Amino acid sequence: MTEGEGRAVTRSARSDNDGCGCFPTGRHYPGIAHLIKTHVRGLVISIAPETPWQEIDIALLDVETTGRDALVDRVVEVGIVVGRGGVVLRRNNWLINPGIPIPAEVSAIHHITTEMVDRCPRFEEVAIEIAEALKGTIPAAYNAPFDRAFMMSEFSRAQIDTSSIGALAHDVEWLDPLIWARDIQSSEKSRALSDVATRLGIVIENAHRAEDDAEAALRVMFALGRDPRVPRAYGALVQEQRRLAQAQAAARRTWRS
């Protein structure tokens, strides 16, 4: 968080809190964000932490793949939908030849077959286009670790230098509507994208296709962002998302034990 109490806060106190500047509850307190300046980890370097995130281009990315392991499976479709302030600005979609067969059980989910992508470009042929589509944006994905792992693996295989693309920097944290859905819709049993979208009145035309899922997830992010628990500043949003993600991971470990 970038908020803190109205009285002066010592440098050592800020250090102990990893630059959080939040109350012991960890919850966002929107009225006093201007009183504390702090370093926020995980931001796109060209975007100031106090910038309202609704005023920044957000690129919601979704991938369809040959399986669930980013080390061995491959991407077969990439969708990127960019929006700002609740408005969709542009849509991009690429069907990709993975170079390996798509298992029938996976095709049954996203309806992309080996024959459909046989004459499509390989990832390395469209990698620059995909990277360009992310320029000047905040990256986001629904269940971001999954999509991010696949994208980073594909860029690595293609030997594409993404150092000039802020959204693809290794230390940039992706926004993740799933983390916010787990918190804001905590009383609901399912936080699958289709179920969260339905509860928010958002329609997915073709579920499990990259562009459609990306647009639905972006609209979910904007809808959840209207909740007063969601910070308005980009830096505060990233810090609160990190705190929520850690708390949710700890809760899951407790359930499993």
Side-chain angles (χ1 to χ4, degrees):
M1 310 287 285
T2 57
E3 292 76 18
E5 298 188 58
R7 62 181 182 273
V9 181
T10 65
R11 183 179 300 273
S12 61
R14 288 197 300 271
S15 175
D16 291 343
N17 285 323
D18 190 29
C20 177
C22 53
F23 289 106
T25 60
R27 277 297 184 185
H28 177 66
Y29 186 44
I32 55 177
H34 63 290
L35 297 179
I36 290 180
K37 291 185 178 180
T38 183
H39 174 71
V40 183
R41 294 181 293 111
L43 303 189
V44 175
I45 195 169
S46 61
I47 302 175
E50 65 271 15
T51 307
W53 64 271
Q54 292 274 14
E55 298 177 7
I56 308 168
D57 288 0
I58 297 174
L60 201 302
L61 182 146
D62 185 83
V63 298
E64 302 301 333
T65 67
T66 61
R68 300 193 62 82
D69 188 344
L71 295 178
V72 297
D73 289 306
R74 304 299 296 271
V75 168
V76 300
E77 188 176 37
V78 178
I80 297 175
V81 179
V82 179
R84 185 194 320 127
V87 177
V88 171
L89 302 177
R90 65 178 186 271
R91 301 172 179 84
N92 298 93
N93 199 79
W94 297 266
L95 274 173
I96 294 170
N97 181 348
I100 59 175
I102 304 174
E105 63 271 20
V106 179
S107 291
I109 297 172
H110 52 48
H111 306 297
I112 301 171
T113 65
T114 301
E115 293 71 26
M116 284 174 59
V117 297
D118 190 47
R119 297 186 179 181
C120 291
R122 301 291 291 268
F123 186 89
E124 56 266 27
E125 298 176 65
V126 295
I128 298 299
E129 292 178 33
I130 294 172
E132 287 290 325
L134 295 170
K135 268 190 175 180
T137 69
I138 301 174
Y142 199 88
N143 190 19
F146 178 87
D147 299 83
R148 181 175 186 166
F150 271 94
M151 291 303 295
M152 294 300 99
S153 291
E154 291 288 4
F155 277 116
S156 177
R157 291 189 192 101
Q159 298 183 328
I160 300 296
D161 180 10
T162 60
S163 59
S164 64
I165 312 295
L168 293 174
H170 75 278
D171 57 348
V172 166
E173 188 147 340
W174 290 32
L175 301 185
D176 192 341
L178 174 58
I179 292 172
W180 296 97
R182 285 171 174 159
D183 186 57
I184 294 170
Q185 297 188 358
S186 59
S187 62
E188 302 290 346
K189 184 176 181 180
S190 171
R191 259 84 68 185
L193 175 59
S194 58
D195 294 325
V196 172
T198 297
R199 288 192 288 267
L200 294 169
I202 297 165
V203 177
I204 306 178
E205 295 292 343
N206 297 294
H208 301 298
R209 291 302 300 267
E211 183 181 326
D212 294 83
D213 279 3
E215 181 167 344
L218 179 63
R219 294 189 184 278
V220 164
M221 185 72 208
F222 286 138
L224 294 174
R226 292 193 289 269
D227 189 283
R229 288 168 285 186
V230 179
R232 299 296 178 256
Y234 172 40
L237 180 76
V238 168
Q239 286 192 315
E240 178 66 352
Q241 178 178 286
R242 185 182 298 118
R243 187 193 70 80
L244 287 173
Q246 292 170 348
Q248 291 166 7
R252 288 194 296 274
R253 286 194 295 271
T254 300
W255 299 335
R256 289 166 185 160
S257 62

